[in-house]
Amino acid sequence: MVDESVSTFGESPDDPFALHRAATAVLDSSAVLTGWSERAQELLGYRPQEVLGRPAAELLIDRDAREWITQVTASCLRGPGWFGMVPLRHREGGKVLLGIRARRVLRPGGGCDWYLVGAPAQGVVQWETDRAVLDGLFRRSPIGFASHAPDLRVLRVNRTLARVSGLPSAESARGHRIADFLIPQDARQVEAGLARVLETGTPMIFAEQPCRLRRDPDRERFVSVSAFRMVDSVGTVLGVAQLVEDVTERHRAQRRLALLNEASTRIGTTLDVIATARELADVAVPSIADCITVDLLESVAHGGEPTPSAVGPVIRVAAKTPGSQTGQLLFPVGESIDFPLNTPQHRCLDELRPILERDFGSCLSSTPAGARWPEYARRLGIRSLMAVPLIARGHILGVISLWRTRQAELFEPDDLALAGEFVTRAAACIDNARRYTQQHHAALVLQQSMLPSTLPGQLAVDVAHRYLPASSASGVGGDWFDVIPLSGARVALVVGDVVGHGIHAAATMGRLRAAVQALANLDLEPDDVLTHLDDLVGRLADDPEDIDTSGSSRENLIGATCLYAVYDPVTTRCSLARAGHPPPIVVAADGNASLVDLPAGPPLGLGGLPFEAAELHLAEGSLLALYSNGLIEAADRDIDDNLALLCSTLKAPHVSLEEIATSTVAALAPPPRTDDATLLIARTRALSADQVAVWRLPREPQAAGMARTLVIRQLTDWQLDAMVFTTELIATELVTNAYRYSDGPIELRLIIDRTLMCEVSDGSTTAPHLRRARTTDEGGRGLFLVAQLTQRWGARCTREGKTVWTEQPLPRSAA
């Protein structure tokens, strides 16, 4: 029998290998059984006298005895002992699986024995499993664990939490409070959470909290805390258990993703280079840094192409610093900067790579003598710096400098990687804004070159005009206006609007304006002008050459509206027609302002629909206002309200046209504008009776002689004796042609204005044609002579027939 008082390896009472519940046996050095306990007899059925002195191998099943003895011997010699599951033969037959521990025991007189302790395998497996769990939790777990007493003092922590907390061992945490390891504000937050769990019994699951240790308060960590209340079998609260996982890296990754997402939504909302740079600064501070400066190459800041060399002067376009320290910047916004050699910004531009100066003091120590950087850094309290190049599409645009002054942590390589991604997106937005600015400027120059720089001279109306382009974010529109002198002292007033924005809209506007001028010179009626213009817009839309850069047709992109009016100062009649354009406004001489009841007509480009003209009488001094929809379409007001406001501003009494135009656009089209706004105001004038002479001549051979007599008498009254001969010849030729090629009476009209106009009207619709007569021809030279003697001549169709007209410049004294 084995002495029951022999130690069983010092295990706890719950250990299945404890002596009061385990089977024990002793082997000599030859593996012969020399000891056998009562518990071994209970488990295997053998009495001591049946096994003592027998080799232990006789009890083994499915195991080589020599190999087993070798394993046990080797393990015991190398370490504290051997453990394993061994199948043994029961006395009554069958197999018993025991968990066996073996240890070598030295004899007092020399030699050694093997002391074996065994227990049923089921209890051993459960015990070893529980033991492995506790060992893993307190020794090997990568997640921190702590148990707290009801007063929240620490009972026990595992090795991971002790290492993170900076403790020499896990046992040294016993009896301490959380505030002994964390800074006060973080400790209060953690203890408050544990107290709630202890009081309510509701577990805390994955609650993320900031965590800064007392031994390293400058480094911010984030931990995920789970906690549950510990109770015994009768419900007595024993304390609270806490699981702590360091999620600092995950939190930083989430913050990086959130920042990049915020950058994608907040940067690039406008197509303005300076505004985009300011948006970049607003997003970066304080998310990444305490201070940021954005410096662009001079050509990029002005919307031009990047220069091949990145090293050179830059312009500071944006900056953001804590509080009111922006004024303390060494280089304020708007100033041109040439970074000195060896500065982080110069190296960044030169090497085209991000530069990290984690400890800015070392950077300052290498600055040249006399430099202003050290004093600048001390004034702002700069502790760490990153300089990141702005690169887009392979071109360097500038450099961004990020500083930390207030934040406790210095910049790390991870911050540099984050700044690189952040700045890459911002660089693309800045480059898009730069390219848009370039295109917008080109479109604006193109449009301004196609609008009238000065209006032609005429005496039919006094004119004031305003053209206000849309803001750069909306793009250049296609508004245009024109004042075109016509024959008979008349004048055409035009306002139009091309659908869309950009270079294409500006180019289409130029085409339409040229077409309107050509049609106006044909002296067509307003509705006929719009009909021809409608055909032109339709052809432009169907033009196979008019293809955009993506290869798709612009058919749906071409459309326009137009208002065309012709005013005659002789009759004070005005003929108007419009194609989808807002109606004009007339302010009568008595100050009453009203919209003209004019058929709207379809927009240009639809085709197949007629245009209708209207005619109205405009007394001398009346005001006629033509405008585009950009003037009356405001986001914050209804169109009817804007029309009422427009009428009220136009009828201001005793005010010049320029003042009316200025006050009108100030009231209706303040910046920023989403569309072009055009305003054309005309105050009518009338020719006096002594400036016009009209005669009706019979269709007789004597009509030419009568015309000469009337012309001589009238020019003498006008004191234009020097023009009698040529005008007499012109009138004779025109009246003779009317007599020969038309029916009905003939009308002769002389008008003196800026020029001397001679008009002959008849009932024929056949227009005369100028040709060069051959030497053998008897006729055909009359119109040729007329063309040589006049400044301009032409023919216009009227409702009664046609009118052939000529213009001669007045002598200097008469003019």
Side-chain angles (χ1 to χ4, degrees):
M1 297 294 291
V2 176
D3 185 0
E4 300 287 349
S5 64
V6 176
S7 170
T8 58
F9 307 160
E11 299 294 345
S12 67
D14 294 333
D15 191 342
F17 292 105
L19 191 61
H20 66 280
R21 65 176 65 182
T24 58
V26 179
L27 303 179
D28 62 12
S29 58
S30 299
V32 175
L33 288 166
T34 59
W36 191 256
S37 69
E38 293 182 0
R39 179 61 175 160
Q41 179 179 342
E42 294 177 6
L43 292 177
L44 296 176
Y46 298 101
R47 294 189 296 274
Q49 57 269 27
E50 294 177 336
V51 295
L52 293 178
R54 295 174 57 186
E58 295 180 3
L59 303 181
L60 298 178
I61 299 177
D62 300 331
R63 183 181 286 270
D64 183 83
R66 182 174 299 176
E67 178 185 353
W68 179 70
I69 293 299
T70 302
Q71 292 178 1
V72 171
T73 302
S75 298
C76 291
L77 290 176
R78 288 195 307 267
W82 178 89
F83 169 78
M85 297 294 174
V86 181
L88 298 175
R89 183 178 290 108
H90 196 274
R91 183 175 181 276
E92 304 298 333
K95 181 173 66 174
V96 177
L97 184 65
L98 296 182
I100 295 179
R101 289 181 180 177
R103 178 178 292 180
R104 188 176 63 159
V105 180
L106 297 177
R107 295 175 184 172
C112 67
D113 291 329
W114 303 102
Y115 186 69
L116 307 180
V117 180
Q122 182 177 2
V124 171
V125 171
Q126 182 65 42
W127 166 257
E128 290 294 335
T129 300
D130 295 343
R131 183 183 179 192
V133 169
L134 291 176
D135 182 72
L137 180 62
F138 284 98
R139 295 185 180 184
R140 297 178 176 85
S141 173
I143 298 177
F145 174 81
S147 59
H148 302 267
D151 63 353
L152 296 183
R153 291 187 178 274
V154 177
L155 296 176
R156 189 176 181 184
V157 300
N158 65 357
R159 290 180 178 179
T160 299
L161 191 58
R163 184 178 62 254
V164 172
S165 303
L167 298 175
S169 64
E171 291 74 14
S172 62
R174 188 184 303 273
H176 286 280
R177 302 191 70 88
I178 297 175
D180 296 333
F181 310 113
L182 303 183
I183 64 173
Q185 59 187 28
D186 291 347
R188 285 193 296 269
Q189 183 176 357
V190 173
E191 288 186 344
L194 296 180
R196 284 194 299 270
V197 173
L198 196 61
E199 179 182 356
T200 64
T202 303
M204 177 193 302
I205 301 176
F206 302 136
E208 293 192 3
Q209 300 171 352
C211 173
R212 282 176 291 180
L213 301 175
R214 281 183 176 272
R215 64 183 180 88
D216 189 11
D218 290 344
R219 183 180 180 186
E220 186 178 32
R221 301 171 182 264
F222 287 88
V223 294
S224 175
V225 179
S226 298
F228 57 91
R229 190 167 65 182
M230 299 186 297
V231 296
D232 60 12
S233 58
V234 296
T236 303
V237 176
L238 303 178
V240 60
Q242 178 187 32
L243 295 171
V244 181
E245 181 183 5
D246 189 344
V247 294
T248 303
E249 292 303 321
R250 185 175 71 192
H251 187 273
R252 288 179 177 175
Q254 292 174 346
R255 186 171 62 179
R256 285 195 293 267
L257 290 176
L259 179 61
L260 293 176
N261 182 64
E262 182 184 11
S264 64
T265 56
R266 291 181 57 187
I267 300 176
T269 60
T270 68
L271 289 172
D272 181 82
V273 173
I274 305 301
T276 304
R278 290 172 181 165
E279 291 171 346
L280 165 60
D282 291 337
V283 173
V285 176
S287 301
I288 300 180
D290 296 319
C291 175
I292 182 175
T293 57
V294 183
D295 306 312
L296 300 181
L297 298 177
E298 288 186 341
S299 58
V300 176
H302 296 133
E305 291 291 336
T307 57
S309 175
V311 178
V314 296
I315 294 179
R316 180 150 295 170
V317 296
K320 190 171 184 180
T321 59
S324 59
Q325 295 183 3
T326 305
Q328 300 180 19
L329 289 174
L330 183 61
F331 300 105
V333 174
E335 184 170 334
S336 179
I337 308 170
D338 198 349
F339 290 111
L341 291 173
N342 298 326
T343 58
Q345 291 85 352
H346 185 278
R347 290 164 48 206
C348 177
L349 290 172
D350 185 32
E351 302 171 13
L352 299 181
R353 66 178 182 88
I355 301 295
L356 171 61
E357 292 291 348
R358 189 174 185 274
D359 184 2
F360 196 62
S362 61
C363 174
L364 295 177
S365 62
S366 63
T367 54
R372 293 184 291 170
W373 293 90
E375 179 60 30
Y376 169 55
R378 295 188 194 97
R379 187 169 66 244
L380 284 182
I382 295 173
R383 305 176 64 241
S384 191
L385 163 69
M386 292 189 299
V388 186
L390 277 166
I391 300 177
R393 298 178 179 89
H395 299 290
I396 179 70
L397 308 178
V399 61
I400 291 178
S401 303
L402 298 161
W403 323 74
R404 277 188 179 171
T405 58
R406 293 183 174 182
Q407 296 186 33
E409 294 187 15
L410 302 178
F411 284 127
E412 301 288 346
D414 287 347
D415 296 314
L416 190 64
L418 171 61
E421 296 182 33
F422 173 76
V423 171
T424 297
R425 298 192 181 193
C429 294
I430 290 177
D431 191 54
N432 287 339
R434 176 195 64 80
R435 297 174 68 188
Y436 177 81
T437 300
Q438 195 175 40
Q439 295 178 4
H440 176 76
H441 178 70
L444 189 60
V445 170
L446 174 64
Q447 185 191 44
Q448 291 177 344
S449 67
M450 293 182 177
L451 290 174
S453 56
T454 58
L455 297 180
Q458 47 78 37
L459 297 180
V461 291
D462 295 325
V463 176
H465 60 87
R466 292 292 185 274
Y467 169 73
L468 303 174
S471 62
S472 59
S474 301
V476 174
D479 285 13
W480 89 92
F481 66 93
D482 225 333
V483 177
I484 307 172
L486 302 178
S487 62
R490 297 171 306 137
V491 64
L493 305 174
V494 189
V495 169
D497 184 8
V498 175
V499 175
H501 295 85
I503 292 180
H504 178 66
T508 303
M509 177 272 290
R511 286 174 160 180
L512 297 185
R513 179 172 177 246
V516 170
Q517 289 180 330
L519 294 172
N521 286 332
L522 295 178
D523 280 320
L524 299 177
E525 293 294 327
D527 51 341
D528 292 331
V529 170
L530 295 183
T531 299
H532 288 289
L533 205 58
D534 181 62
D535 293 339
L536 173 63
V537 173
R539 288 196 300 272
L540 290 177
D542 297 333
D543 188 354
E545 298 296 330
D546 196 11
I547 303 295
D548 65 12
T549 55
S550 64
S552 61
S553 173
R554 298 185 185 271
E555 179 177 356
N556 295 329
L557 300 180
I558 295 183
T561 64
C562 184
L563 173 60
Y564 187 86
V566 176
Y567 173 69
D568 188 346
V570 177
T571 62
T572 65
R573 305 293 296 178
C574 183
S575 179
L576 311 95
R578 62 183 177 127
H581 204 81
I585 295 176
V586 171
V587 182
D590 59 1
N592 183 33
S594 60
L595 291 172
V596 177
D597 186 11
L598 182 63
L604 299 174
L606 296 182
L609 298 175
F611 298 96
E612 299 182 43
E615 190 172 280
L616 62 151
H617 170 71
L618 295 179
E620 184 174 11
S622 299
L623 205 67
L624 179 65
L626 288 68
Y627 51 91
S628 64
N629 60 348
L631 190 67
I632 59 173
E633 292 180 355
D636 56 342
R637 285 195 302 265
D638 186 73
I639 291 182
D640 293 336
D641 295 336
N642 283 333
L643 285 173
L645 179 59
L646 177 59
C647 291
S648 65
T649 55
L650 289 175
K651 63 182 182 180
H654 311 296
V655 177
S656 67
L657 290 181
E658 291 295 331
E659 292 174 335
I660 293 176
T662 300
S663 61
T664 300
V665 297
L668 289 163
R673 289 172 290 273
T674 59
D675 196 7
D676 293 16
T678 303
L679 176 64
L680 180 62
I681 306 175
R683 180 169 285 152
T684 60
R685 305 171 74 178
L687 295 183
S688 59
D690 57 359
Q691 290 181 273
V692 181
V694 182
W695 304 280
R696 294 184 68 85
L697 304 176
R699 186 174 178 275
E700 298 176 353
Q702 296 82 8
M706 297 172 60
R708 285 194 296 271
T709 302
L710 297 172
V711 166
I712 294 172
R713 181 189 307 156
Q714 187 61 52
L715 293 184
T716 301
D717 292 341
W718 285 342
Q719 299 180 0
L720 296 176
D721 299 313
M723 302 183 68
V724 168
F725 177 75
T726 55
T727 308
E728 177 186 5
L729 182 59
I730 293 169
T732 299
E733 179 59 33
L734 297 182
V735 171
T736 300
N737 284 343
Y739 167 73
R740 295 179 60 185
Y741 302 111
S742 67
D743 297 326
I746 302 170
E747 182 179 278
L748 173 63
R749 186 167 73 163
L750 293 179
I751 304 173
I752 182 172
D753 190 12
R754 296 171 61 91
T755 60
L756 177 63
M757 290 160 272
C758 178
E759 298 180 349
V760 174
S761 303
D762 57 54
S764 173
T765 58
T766 303
H769 296 281
L770 177 66
R771 66 184 182 89
R772 185 180 295 276
R774 292 173 294 182
T775 56
T776 57
D777 291 342
E778 296 183 359
R781 296 177 177 82
L783 284 180
F784 181 78
L785 291 175
V786 170
Q788 297 299 312
L789 295 175
T790 59
Q791 183 179 25
R792 292 196 313 154
W793 79 278
R796 64 174 182 269
C797 294
T798 63
R799 291 183 176 85
E800 296 80 14
K802 70 172 183 301
T803 298
V804 182
W805 56 269
T806 65
E807 290 186 6
Q808 303 174 72
L810 296 176
R812 182 173 302 178
S813 58

